[in-house]
Amino acid sequence: MTVERHIKRLPADTTGKIAAGEVIERPVNAVKELLENALDASASRVSISVEEGGRRSIRVEDDGTGIPAAELALAAENYSTSKIGLISDLDRITTLGFRGEALASIRAVARLTIRSRDASEEIGREIRWRGEEVLGDEPAVMKPGTTVIVEDLFHNLPARKKFLSSDASEIRRITSLVQSYALAWPEVSLSLSHNGREILSYPSCSFAERVEMVFGSSVFPGLRAFEGSDGGMRVRGYTTLPSVTRGNRSMQFLFVNGRLVRDRLLGHAVRQAYHSLIPGDRFPMT
Ligand code: ADP
Ligand code: MG
C-alpha cells in the first residue's frame, strides 16, 4: 500500500498557534510579556489587573513612550519589533524583548486590545482583534502610554484552557512574577490586582526599600547586602544569613541586566558561596 505524503505548508493560522504555544501556555506568560514591554517602554508606573486567574482578562497599563498611531496595527504582527533594526544590533540588546513575537503570539490565542498614545501625538488609537480579524479601530482619548487588554485566553484552544490550574494557583504564579520583577525594577511603581482587589502595590523606591517590601519586614532584617565588581561586571543583591534557609530555590531571584533568569550555574554559584555553612539540601533566599 502506498501512502500519499505530500509536504504541505501549514496555514498561517496554525503556525501562529504553534509558535504561540511555545510562549503562551498560561496567563503568567502573557503577563510577563506585557510587563516586559512596559518596562522596555521606560514606564515609571505599571498597573496590572487580572480577572479569574487571567483566563477572563489581563490588563496591563503603563505610562511609557507609547506606540505611534501609524505603527499600532503593526505592533501585533509577527516578527515586528521596534527594538532591533539590524542584525548587528543583536550584539547589544538593551531591552527585554526583541523578537517581535509576543503580541502576535498572544493575539493568536485570545482577544487582544491595544490602546496607545505616543507622547508627541494629541490623541491615541485603539485596535481590537480576535485572532487576526480586526474588530475595531478608533481614536482613543487618553494620556500618553499604553494599555493592553487580553481577554478570553485560549478561547480557541480548549485543550490548553482545560490544562490551566485553579484561579488561585494561576494568580500565585502571576504574583510571584510581579514580585520578582519588582526586585529588579525598584524605581518603577508596580501594582497588581485580582478581581478588583489589590494584591500588590509597590511605590517607586530604593533597591533596599523594595527588597524589604517584597520579602517583608520580618525577613528583611535577616538579609545581608552584598556588592562587588570585576571584569566589567557589577553584582549587587541581598542574601540570607546561613541560619535562614529554604528547602528549595523558590525564594531565589537572580537577574542579569534586568532579565529574570533561572540559571543552574548562577544558582550553583550562590549556593557555593555558602560552602558548608548550610546543609546540602537547603538554599538561601537571594
Ligand atoms: P518585542 O517586545 O520583542 O519587540 P512585542 O510583540 O512584545 O515584541 O511588541 C512589538 C512592538 O510593539 C515592540 O517592539 C514595541 O515597539 C511595541 N510595544 C509593545 N508594547 C508596548 C508598550 N507597552 N509600550 C510601547 N511600545 C510597545
Ligand atoms: Mg515584547
Side-chain angles (χ1 to χ4, degrees), residues 172-220:
R172 237 185 337 264
R173 291 171 212 262
I174 294 170
T175 306
S176 158
L177 174 93
V178 176
Q179 285 180 316
S180 52
Y181 275 81
L183 289 169
W185 300 79
E187 66 284 4
V188 177
S189 110
L190 279 172
S191 68
L192 171 66
S193 69
H194 187 219
N195 298 336
R197 202 173 56 86
E198 188 171 84
I199 352 189
L200 298 176
S201 171
Y202 301 128
S204 165
C205 58
S206 70
F207 180 45
E209 288 167 326
R210 187 57 69 84
V211 171
E212 178 163 12
M213 283 176 209
V214 173
F215 284 86
S217 43
S218 57
V219 171
F220 186 72

mmCIF file of all heavy atoms in Angstrom, residues 172-220:
data_model
loop_
_atom_site.group_PDB
_atom_site.id
_atom_site.type_symbol
_atom_site.label_atom_id
_atom_site.label_comp_id
_atom_site.label_asym_id
_atom_site.label_seq_id
_atom_site.Cartn_x
_atom_site.Cartn_y
_atom_site.Cartn_z
ATOM 1 N N ARG A 172 -1.190 32.949 41.861
ATOM 2 C CA ARG A 172 0.048 32.802 42.635
ATOM 3 C C ARG A 172 1.274 32.935 41.737
ATOM 4 O O ARG A 172 2.254 33.590 42.062
ATOM 5 C CB ARG A 172 0.071 31.447 43.342
ATOM 6 C CG ARG A 172 0.241 31.597 44.841
ATOM 7 C CD ARG A 172 0.399 30.318 45.617
ATOM 8 N NE ARG A 172 -0.123 29.109 45.009
ATOM 9 C CZ ARG A 172 -1.324 28.569 45.258
ATOM 10 N NH1 ARG A 172 -2.122 29.099 46.094
ATOM 11 N NH2 ARG A 172 -1.723 27.474 44.672
ATOM 12 N N ARG A 173 1.201 32.293 40.570
ATOM 13 C CA ARG A 173 2.324 32.401 39.628
ATOM 14 C C ARG A 173 2.523 33.855 39.184
ATOM 15 O O ARG A 173 3.643 34.329 39.051
ATOM 16 C CB ARG A 173 2.055 31.571 38.366
ATOM 17 C CG ARG A 173 2.080 30.085 38.596
ATOM 18 C CD ARG A 173 1.586 29.403 37.320
ATOM 19 N NE ARG A 173 0.876 28.174 37.627
ATOM 20 C CZ ARG A 173 1.418 26.959 37.563
ATOM 21 N NH1 ARG A 173 2.642 26.821 37.162
ATOM 22 N NH2 ARG A 173 0.730 25.908 37.880
ATOM 23 N N ILE A 174 1.397 34.537 38.927
ATOM 24 C CA ILE A 174 1.474 35.923 38.462
ATOM 25 C C ILE A 174 2.047 36.808 39.566
ATOM 26 O O ILE A 174 2.900 37.658 39.324
ATOM 27 C CB ILE A 174 0.077 36.417 38.003
ATOM 28 C CG1 ILE A 174 -0.355 35.625 36.752
ATOM 29 C CG2 ILE A 174 0.077 37.912 37.740
ATOM 30 C CD1 ILE A 174 -1.803 35.842 36.325
ATOM 31 N N THR A 175 1.590 36.586 40.796
ATOM 32 C CA THR A 175 2.083 37.383 41.928
ATOM 33 C C THR A 175 3.589 37.210 42.080
ATOM 34 O O THR A 175 4.326 38.185 42.243
ATOM 35 C CB THR A 175 1.371 36.949 43.236
ATOM 36 O OG1 THR A 175 -0.035 37.030 43.024
ATOM 37 C CG2 THR A 175 1.760 37.839 44.398
ATOM 38 N N SER A 176 4.039 35.974 41.993
ATOM 39 C CA SER A 176 5.463 35.713 42.156
ATOM 40 C C SER A 176 6.282 36.363 41.025
ATOM 41 O O SER A 176 7.361 36.910 41.251
ATOM 42 C CB SER A 176 5.656 34.205 42.229
ATOM 43 O OG SER A 176 6.946 33.860 41.900
ATOM 44 N N LEU A 177 5.731 36.346 39.809
ATOM 45 C CA LEU A 177 6.412 37.007 38.692
ATOM 46 C C LEU A 177 6.542 38.509 38.944
ATOM 47 O O LEU A 177 7.611 39.098 38.780
ATOM 48 C CB LEU A 177 5.628 36.776 37.394
ATOM 49 C CG LEU A 177 6.177 37.545 36.190
ATOM 50 C CD1 LEU A 177 7.149 36.687 35.410
ATOM 51 C CD2 LEU A 177 5.075 38.058 35.286
ATOM 52 N N VAL A 178 5.426 39.133 39.351
ATOM 53 C CA VAL A 178 5.446 40.585 39.563
ATOM 54 C C VAL A 178 6.399 40.925 40.718
ATOM 55 O O VAL A 178 7.160 41.886 40.645
ATOM 56 C CB VAL A 178 4.023 41.130 39.816
ATOM 57 C CG1 VAL A 178 4.056 42.616 40.140
ATOM 58 C CG2 VAL A 178 3.130 40.875 38.603
ATOM 59 N N GLN A 179 6.392 40.094 41.759
ATOM 60 C CA GLN A 179 7.319 40.331 42.872
ATOM 61 C C GLN A 179 8.764 40.260 42.408
ATOM 62 O O GLN A 179 9.597 41.057 42.819
ATOM 63 C CB GLN A 179 7.107 39.289 43.976
ATOM 64 C CG GLN A 179 5.852 39.555 44.781
ATOM 65 C CD GLN A 179 5.655 38.511 45.861
ATOM 66 O OE1 GLN A 179 5.818 37.322 45.618
ATOM 67 N NE2 GLN A 179 5.307 38.962 47.057
ATOM 68 N N SER A 180 9.071 39.303 41.542
ATOM 69 C CA SER A 180 10.458 39.186 41.126
ATOM 70 C C SER A 180 10.878 40.362 40.242
ATOM 71 O O SER A 180 11.967 40.903 40.397
ATOM 72 C CB SER A 180 10.743 37.836 40.478
ATOM 73 O OG SER A 180 9.816 37.582 39.471
ATOM 74 N N TYR A 181 9.988 40.793 39.328
ATOM 75 C CA TYR A 181 10.337 41.985 38.542
ATOM 76 C C TYR A 181 10.432 43.224 39.423
ATOM 77 O O TYR A 181 11.230 44.118 39.170
ATOM 78 C CB TYR A 181 9.348 42.196 37.388
ATOM 79 C CG TYR A 181 9.754 41.394 36.185
ATOM 80 C CD1 TYR A 181 9.444 40.045 36.096
ATOM 81 C CD2 TYR A 181 10.531 41.955 35.175
ATOM 82 C CE1 TYR A 181 9.875 39.286 35.025
ATOM 83 C CE2 TYR A 181 10.967 41.196 34.095
ATOM 84 C CZ TYR A 181 10.637 39.859 34.032
ATOM 85 O OH TYR A 181 11.080 39.103 32.983
ATOM 86 N N ALA A 182 9.609 43.255 40.470
ATOM 87 C CA ALA A 182 9.642 44.404 41.387
ATOM 88 C C ALA A 182 11.030 44.543 42.011
ATOM 89 O O ALA A 182 11.511 45.655 42.222
ATOM 90 C CB ALA A 182 8.585 44.229 42.472
ATOM 91 N N LEU A 183 11.679 43.418 42.269
ATOM 92 C CA LEU A 183 13.021 43.465 42.860
ATOM 93 C C LEU A 183 14.035 44.078 41.899
ATOM 94 O O LEU A 183 14.925 44.810 42.302
ATOM 95 C CB LEU A 183 13.477 42.049 43.239
ATOM 96 C CG LEU A 183 12.753 41.418 44.427
ATOM 97 C CD1 LEU A 183 13.106 39.942 44.522
ATOM 98 C CD2 LEU A 183 13.105 42.152 45.715
ATOM 99 N N ALA A 184 13.895 43.762 40.630
ATOM 100 C CA ALA A 184 14.874 44.239 39.648
ATOM 101 C C ALA A 184 14.595 45.673 39.183
ATOM 102 O O ALA A 184 15.466 46.315 38.623
ATOM 103 C CB ALA A 184 14.901 43.306 38.449
ATOM 104 N N TRP A 185 13.367 46.156 39.394
ATOM 105 C CA TRP A 185 12.997 47.483 38.894
ATOM 106 C C TRP A 185 12.396 48.335 40.020
ATOM 107 O O TRP A 185 11.228 48.748 39.922
ATOM 108 C CB TRP A 185 11.992 47.344 37.744
ATOM 109 C CG TRP A 185 12.535 46.560 36.583
ATOM 110 C CD1 TRP A 185 12.647 45.205 36.485
ATOM 111 C CD2 TRP A 185 13.073 47.091 35.367
ATOM 112 N NE1 TRP A 185 13.205 44.854 35.278
ATOM 113 C CE2 TRP A 185 13.479 45.986 34.572
ATOM 114 C CE3 TRP A 185 13.256 48.391 34.868
ATOM 115 C CZ2 TRP A 185 14.060 46.155 33.307
ATOM 116 C CZ3 TRP A 185 13.812 48.541 33.610
ATOM 117 C CH2 TRP A 185 14.208 47.438 32.847
ATOM 118 N N PRO A 186 13.176 48.618 41.077
ATOM 119 C CA PRO A 186 12.608 49.329 42.226
ATOM 120 C C PRO A 186 12.117 50.743 41.899
ATOM 121 O O PRO A 186 11.207 51.246 42.540
ATOM 122 C CB PRO A 186 13.772 49.374 43.230
ATOM 123 C CG PRO A 186 15.007 49.134 42.428
ATOM 124 C CD PRO A 186 14.597 48.267 41.280
ATOM 125 N N GLU A 187 12.711 51.356 40.865
ATOM 126 C CA GLU A 187 12.332 52.746 40.543
ATOM 127 C C GLU A 187 10.969 52.814 39.853
ATOM 128 O O GLU A 187 10.377 53.874 39.736
ATOM 129 C CB GLU A 187 13.428 53.428 39.711
ATOM 130 C CG GLU A 187 13.657 52.871 38.307
ATOM 131 C CD GLU A 187 14.428 51.538 38.258
ATOM 132 O OE1 GLU A 187 14.748 50.965 39.329
ATOM 133 O OE2 GLU A 187 14.676 51.049 37.144
ATOM 134 N N VAL A 188 10.466 51.682 39.393
ATOM 135 C CA VAL A 188 9.171 51.660 38.703
ATOM 136 C C VAL A 188 8.074 51.320 39.712
ATOM 137 O O VAL A 188 8.198 50.362 40.470
ATOM 138 C CB VAL A 188 9.173 50.610 37.567
ATOM 139 C CG1 VAL A 188 7.806 50.518 36.897
ATOM 140 C CG2 VAL A 188 10.261 50.938 36.544
ATOM 141 N N SER A 189 7.005 52.107 39.729
ATOM 142 C CA SER A 189 5.919 51.772 40.647
ATOM 143 C C SER A 189 5.031 50.710 39.994
ATOM 144 O O SER A 189 4.700 50.785 38.808
ATOM 145 C CB SER A 189 5.189 53.057 41.059
ATOM 146 O OG SER A 189 3.920 53.108 40.510
ATOM 147 N N LEU A 190 4.721 49.674 40.761
ATOM 148 C CA LEU A 190 4.067 48.484 40.215
ATOM 149 C C LEU A 190 2.881 48.096 41.074
ATOM 150 O O LEU A 190 2.967 48.100 42.298
ATOM 151 C CB LEU A 190 5.041 47.297 40.276
ATOM 152 C CG LEU A 190 6.105 47.145 39.201
ATOM 153 C CD1 LEU A 190 7.061 46.012 39.579
ATOM 154 C CD2 LEU A 190 5.471 46.855 37.851
ATOM 155 N N SER A 191 1.767 47.735 40.434
ATOM 156 C CA SER A 191 0.655 47.227 41.230
ATOM 157 C C SER A 191 -0.009 46.062 40.513
ATOM 158 O O SER A 191 0.060 45.937 39.291
ATOM 159 C CB SER A 191 -0.361 48.333 41.505
ATOM 160 O OG SER A 191 -0.982 48.695 40.293
ATOM 161 N N LEU A 192 -0.623 45.205 41.313
ATOM 162 C CA LEU A 192 -1.315 44.036 40.773
ATOM 163 C C LEU A 192 -2.634 43.877 41.502
ATOM 164 O O LEU A 192 -2.687 43.920 42.737
ATOM 165 C CB LEU A 192 -0.457 42.772 41.001
ATOM 166 C CG LEU A 192 -1.138 41.431 40.694
ATOM 167 C CD1 LEU A 192 -1.443 41.282 39.205
ATOM 168 C CD2 LEU A 192 -0.249 40.260 41.163
ATOM 169 N N SER A 193 -3.730 43.726 40.748
ATOM 170 C CA SER A 193 -4.996 43.430 41.414
ATOM 171 C C SER A 193 -5.654 42.227 40.763
ATOM 172 O O SER A 193 -5.415 41.929 39.585
ATOM 173 C CB SER A 193 -5.922 44.650 41.396
ATOM 174 O OG SER A 193 -6.355 44.889 40.085
ATOM 175 N N HIS A 194 -6.445 41.512 41.573
ATOM 176 C CA HIS A 194 -7.139 40.325 41.091
ATOM 177 C C HIS A 194 -8.624 40.460 41.396
ATOM 178 O O HIS A 194 -8.989 40.716 42.538
ATOM 179 C CB HIS A 194 -6.569 39.064 41.777
ATOM 180 C CG HIS A 194 -7.123 37.789 41.205
ATOM 181 N ND1 HIS A 194 -7.436 36.700 41.973
ATOM 182 C CD2 HIS A 194 -7.425 37.445 39.922
ATOM 183 C CE1 HIS A 194 -7.896 35.726 41.195
ATOM 184 N NE2 HIS A 194 -7.904 36.159 39.947
ATOM 185 N N ASN A 195 -9.462 40.327 40.406
ATOM 186 C CA ASN A 195 -10.913 40.505 40.554
ATOM 187 C C ASN A 195 -11.248 41.789 41.312
ATOM 188 O O ASN A 195 -12.101 41.802 42.196
ATOM 189 C CB ASN A 195 -11.525 39.296 41.270
ATOM 190 C CG ASN A 195 -11.327 38.001 40.485
ATOM 191 O OD1 ASN A 195 -11.150 38.039 39.263
ATOM 192 N ND2 ASN A 195 -11.343 36.874 41.169
ATOM 193 N N GLY A 196 -10.528 42.859 40.974
ATOM 194 C CA GLY A 196 -10.819 44.161 41.559
ATOM 195 C C GLY A 196 -10.184 44.400 42.923
ATOM 196 O O GLY A 196 -10.292 45.501 43.467
ATOM 197 N N ARG A 197 -9.525 43.410 43.468
ATOM 198 C CA ARG A 197 -8.904 43.571 44.786
ATOM 199 C C ARG A 197 -7.393 43.715 44.616
ATOM 200 O O ARG A 197 -6.767 42.914 43.921
ATOM 201 C CB ARG A 197 -9.202 42.336 45.648
ATOM 202 C CG ARG A 197 -9.090 42.554 47.137
ATOM 203 C CD ARG A 197 -9.580 41.314 47.889
ATOM 204 N NE ARG A 197 -8.863 40.101 47.474
ATOM 205 C CZ ARG A 197 -7.703 39.709 48.003
ATOM 206 N NH1 ARG A 197 -7.139 40.413 48.965
ATOM 207 N NH2 ARG A 197 -7.122 38.602 47.586
ATOM 208 N N GLU A 198 -6.826 44.746 45.256
ATOM 209 C CA GLU A 198 -5.388 44.970 45.098
ATOM 210 C C GLU A 198 -4.590 43.946 45.900
ATOM 211 O O GLU A 198 -4.827 43.773 47.090
ATOM 212 C CB GLU A 198 -5.059 46.386 45.573
ATOM 213 C CG GLU A 198 -3.642 46.781 45.275
ATOM 214 C CD GLU A 198 -3.421 48.262 45.566
ATOM 215 O OE1 GLU A 198 -3.162 48.591 46.739
ATOM 216 O OE2 GLU A 198 -3.530 49.065 44.620
ATOM 217 N N ILE A 199 -3.638 43.262 45.234
ATOM 218 C CA ILE A 199 -2.811 42.302 45.976
ATOM 219 C C ILE A 199 -1.408 42.832 46.213
ATOM 220 O O ILE A 199 -0.804 42.532 47.217
ATOM 221 C CB ILE A 199 -2.642 40.925 45.280
ATOM 222 C CG1 ILE A 199 -3.514 40.745 44.056
ATOM 223 C CG2 ILE A 199 -2.854 39.800 46.228
ATOM 224 C CD1 ILE A 199 -3.464 39.304 43.552
ATOM 225 N N LEU A 200 -0.869 43.577 45.252
ATOM 226 C CA LEU A 200 0.468 44.140 45.425
ATOM 227 C C LEU A 200 0.408 45.604 45.049
ATOM 228 O O LEU A 200 -0.285 45.983 44.114
ATOM 229 C CB LEU A 200 1.487 43.461 44.499
ATOM 230 C CG LEU A 200 1.772 41.971 44.654
ATOM 231 C CD1 LEU A 200 2.731 41.515 43.555
ATOM 232 C CD2 LEU A 200 2.360 41.687 46.038
ATOM 233 N N SER A 201 1.165 46.417 45.785
ATOM 234 C CA SER A 201 1.256 47.819 45.421
ATOM 235 C C SER A 201 2.599 48.340 45.902
ATOM 236 O O SER A 201 2.833 48.455 47.095
ATOM 237 C CB SER A 201 0.107 48.580 46.075
ATOM 238 O OG SER A 201 0.315 49.954 45.902
ATOM 239 N N TYR A 202 3.503 48.551 44.954
ATOM 240 C CA TYR A 202 4.849 48.998 45.297
ATOM 241 C C TYR A 202 5.096 50.385 44.715
ATOM 242 O O TYR A 202 5.145 50.532 43.500
ATOM 243 C CB TYR A 202 5.897 48.049 44.699
ATOM 244 C CG TYR A 202 5.793 46.608 45.139
ATOM 245 C CD1 TYR A 202 5.750 45.593 44.188
ATOM 246 C CD2 TYR A 202 5.782 46.263 46.485
ATOM 247 C CE1 TYR A 202 5.697 44.264 44.568
ATOM 248 C CE2 TYR A 202 5.720 44.937 46.874
ATOM 249 C CZ TYR A 202 5.677 43.943 45.916
ATOM 250 O OH TYR A 202 5.632 42.626 46.284
ATOM 251 N N PRO A 203 5.263 51.397 45.570
ATOM 252 C CA PRO A 203 5.626 52.706 45.021
ATOM 253 C C PRO A 203 7.089 52.692 44.556
ATOM 254 O O PRO A 203 7.859 51.819 44.960
ATOM 255 C CB PRO A 203 5.444 53.654 46.203
ATOM 256 C CG PRO A 203 5.558 52.802 47.414
ATOM 257 C CD PRO A 203 5.117 51.417 47.019
ATOM 258 N N SER A 204 7.450 53.649 43.722
ATOM 259 C CA SER A 204 8.836 53.812 43.304
ATOM 260 C C SER A 204 9.702 54.044 44.535
ATOM 261 O O SER A 204 9.344 54.842 45.401
ATOM 262 C CB SER A 204 8.897 55.002 42.346
ATOM 263 O OG SER A 204 10.225 55.405 42.186
ATOM 264 N N CYS A 205 10.827 53.364 44.659
ATOM 265 C CA CYS A 205 11.639 53.476 45.873
ATOM 266 C C CYS A 205 13.061 53.011 45.599
ATOM 267 O O CYS A 205 13.409 52.689 44.467
ATOM 268 C CB CYS A 205 11.012 52.644 46.991
ATOM 269 S SG CYS A 205 10.821 50.906 46.553
ATOM 270 N N SER A 206 13.876 52.949 46.657
ATOM 271 C CA SER A 206 15.253 52.475 46.501
ATOM 272 C C SER A 206 15.254 50.947 46.438
ATOM 273 O O SER A 206 14.269 50.298 46.793
ATOM 274 C CB SER A 206 16.100 52.928 47.683
ATOM 275 O OG SER A 206 15.684 52.216 48.840
ATOM 276 N N PHE A 207 16.383 50.379 46.041
ATOM 277 C CA PHE A 207 16.519 48.918 45.970
ATOM 278 C C PHE A 207 16.283 48.299 47.352
ATOM 279 O O PHE A 207 15.501 47.351 47.497
ATOM 280 C CB PHE A 207 17.919 48.585 45.434
ATOM 281 C CG PHE A 207 18.191 47.104 45.317
ATOM 282 C CD1 PHE A 207 17.256 46.235 44.768
ATOM 283 C CD2 PHE A 207 19.414 46.586 45.743
ATOM 284 C CE1 PHE A 207 17.531 44.868 44.645
ATOM 285 C CE2 PHE A 207 19.695 45.224 45.621
ATOM 286 C CZ PHE A 207 18.753 44.371 45.080
ATOM 287 N N ALA A 208 16.926 48.880 48.387
ATOM 288 C CA ALA A 208 16.780 48.331 49.743
ATOM 289 C C ALA A 208 15.320 48.351 50.183
ATOM 290 O O ALA A 208 14.799 47.374 50.729
ATOM 291 C CB ALA A 208 17.641 49.123 50.720
ATOM 292 N N GLU A 209 14.649 49.462 49.926
ATOM 293 C CA GLU A 209 13.234 49.565 50.319
ATOM 294 C C GLU A 209 12.383 48.534 49.598
ATOM 295 O O GLU A 209 11.485 47.916 50.173
ATOM 296 C CB GLU A 209 12.688 50.971 50.020
ATOM 297 C CG GLU A 209 13.233 52.030 50.957
ATOM 298 C CD GLU A 209 12.955 53.453 50.467
ATOM 299 O OE1 GLU A 209 12.953 53.695 49.235
ATOM 300 O OE2 GLU A 209 12.766 54.330 51.335
ATOM 301 N N ARG A 210 12.682 48.317 48.315
ATOM 302 C CA ARG A 210 11.899 47.381 47.528
ATOM 303 C C ARG A 210 12.123 45.944 48.037
ATOM 304 O O ARG A 210 11.183 45.158 48.144
ATOM 305 C CB ARG A 210 12.271 47.510 46.040
ATOM 306 C CG ARG A 210 11.415 46.697 45.088
ATOM 307 C CD ARG A 210 9.925 46.989 45.170
ATOM 308 N NE ARG A 210 9.460 48.277 44.702
ATOM 309 C CZ ARG A 210 9.184 48.587 43.443
ATOM 310 N NH1 ARG A 210 9.379 47.719 42.477
ATOM 311 N NH2 ARG A 210 8.723 49.781 43.128
ATOM 312 N N VAL A 211 13.371 45.632 48.374
ATOM 313 C CA VAL A 211 13.665 44.294 48.902
ATOM 314 C C VAL A 211 12.863 44.069 50.186
ATOM 315 O O VAL A 211 12.260 43.011 50.388
ATOM 316 C CB VAL A 211 15.188 44.124 49.151
ATOM 317 C CG1 VAL A 211 15.468 42.825 49.901
ATOM 318 C CG2 VAL A 211 15.942 44.135 47.827
ATOM 319 N N GLU A 212 12.796 45.100 51.017
ATOM 320 C CA GLU A 212 12.033 44.972 52.265
ATOM 321 C C GLU A 212 10.541 44.785 51.978
ATOM 322 O O GLU A 212 9.867 43.965 52.604
ATOM 323 C CB GLU A 212 12.260 46.204 53.156
ATOM 324 C CG GLU A 212 11.443 46.124 54.439
ATOM 325 C CD GLU A 212 11.912 47.073 55.529
ATOM 326 O OE1 GLU A 212 12.739 47.967 55.233
ATOM 327 O OE2 GLU A 212 11.441 46.925 56.670
ATOM 328 N N MET A 213 10.021 45.541 50.979
ATOM 329 C CA MET A 213 8.586 45.416 50.651
ATOM 330 C C MET A 213 8.258 44.014 50.150
ATOM 331 O O MET A 213 7.214 43.453 50.479
ATOM 332 C CB MET A 213 8.199 46.401 49.533
ATOM 333 C CG MET A 213 8.052 47.819 49.985
ATOM 334 S SD MET A 213 7.701 48.837 48.526
ATOM 335 C CE MET A 213 8.414 50.382 49.067
ATOM 336 N N VAL A 214 9.146 43.465 49.325
ATOM 337 C CA VAL A 214 8.849 42.171 48.705
ATOM 338 C C VAL A 214 9.029 41.011 49.690
ATOM 339 O O VAL A 214 8.193 40.129 49.778
ATOM 340 C CB VAL A 214 9.708 41.954 47.433
ATOM 341 C CG1 VAL A 214 9.532 40.532 46.894
ATOM 342 C CG2 VAL A 214 9.337 42.975 46.362
ATOM 343 N N PHE A 215 10.135 41.054 50.447
ATOM 344 C CA PHE A 215 10.398 39.935 51.360
ATOM 345 C C PHE A 215 9.687 40.089 52.702
ATOM 346 O O PHE A 215 9.574 39.139 53.459
ATOM 347 C CB PHE A 215 11.905 39.755 51.570
ATOM 348 C CG PHE A 215 12.588 39.093 50.405
ATOM 349 C CD1 PHE A 215 13.027 39.840 49.323
ATOM 350 C CD2 PHE A 215 12.769 37.717 50.381
ATOM 351 C CE1 PHE A 215 13.639 39.234 48.232
ATOM 352 C CE2 PHE A 215 13.386 37.100 49.300
ATOM 353 C CZ PHE A 215 13.815 37.866 48.224
ATOM 354 N N GLY A 216 9.253 41.318 52.998
ATOM 355 C CA GLY A 216 8.530 41.556 54.244
ATOM 356 C C GLY A 216 9.455 42.031 55.346
ATOM 357 O O GLY A 216 10.644 41.719 55.354
ATOM 358 N N SER A 217 8.893 42.780 56.295
ATOM 359 C CA SER A 217 9.742 43.397 57.311
ATOM 360 C C SER A 217 10.211 42.397 58.360
ATOM 361 O O SER A 217 11.068 42.705 59.169
ATOM 362 C CB SER A 217 9.047 44.591 57.960
ATOM 363 O OG SER A 217 7.705 44.258 58.217
ATOM 364 N N SER A 218 9.679 41.168 58.322
ATOM 365 C CA SER A 218 10.210 40.193 59.275
ATOM 366 C C SER A 218 11.458 39.498 58.719
ATOM 367 O O SER A 218 12.375 39.159 59.455
ATOM 368 C CB SER A 218 9.148 39.164 59.648
ATOM 369 O OG SER A 218 8.677 38.531 58.489
ATOM 370 N N VAL A 219 11.492 39.317 57.403
ATOM 371 C CA VAL A 219 12.648 38.657 56.775
ATOM 372 C C VAL A 219 13.795 39.642 56.551
ATOM 373 O O VAL A 219 14.971 39.312 56.721
ATOM 374 C CB VAL A 219 12.237 38.026 55.415
ATOM 375 C CG1 VAL A 219 13.448 37.537 54.640
ATOM 376 C CG2 VAL A 219 11.242 36.893 55.621
ATOM 377 N N PHE A 220 13.438 40.884 56.191
ATOM 378 C CA PHE A 220 14.440 41.865 55.766
ATOM 379 C C PHE A 220 15.610 42.045 56.737
ATOM 380 O O PHE A 220 16.765 42.055 56.309
ATOM 381 C CB PHE A 220 13.770 43.211 55.450
ATOM 382 C CG PHE A 220 14.711 44.214 54.865
ATOM 383 C CD1 PHE A 220 15.167 44.069 53.557
ATOM 384 C CD2 PHE A 220 15.157 45.299 55.613
ATOM 385 C CE1 PHE A 220 16.052 44.997 53.012
ATOM 386 C CE2 PHE A 220 16.040 46.219 55.068
ATOM 387 C CZ PHE A 220 16.485 46.074 53.759
#
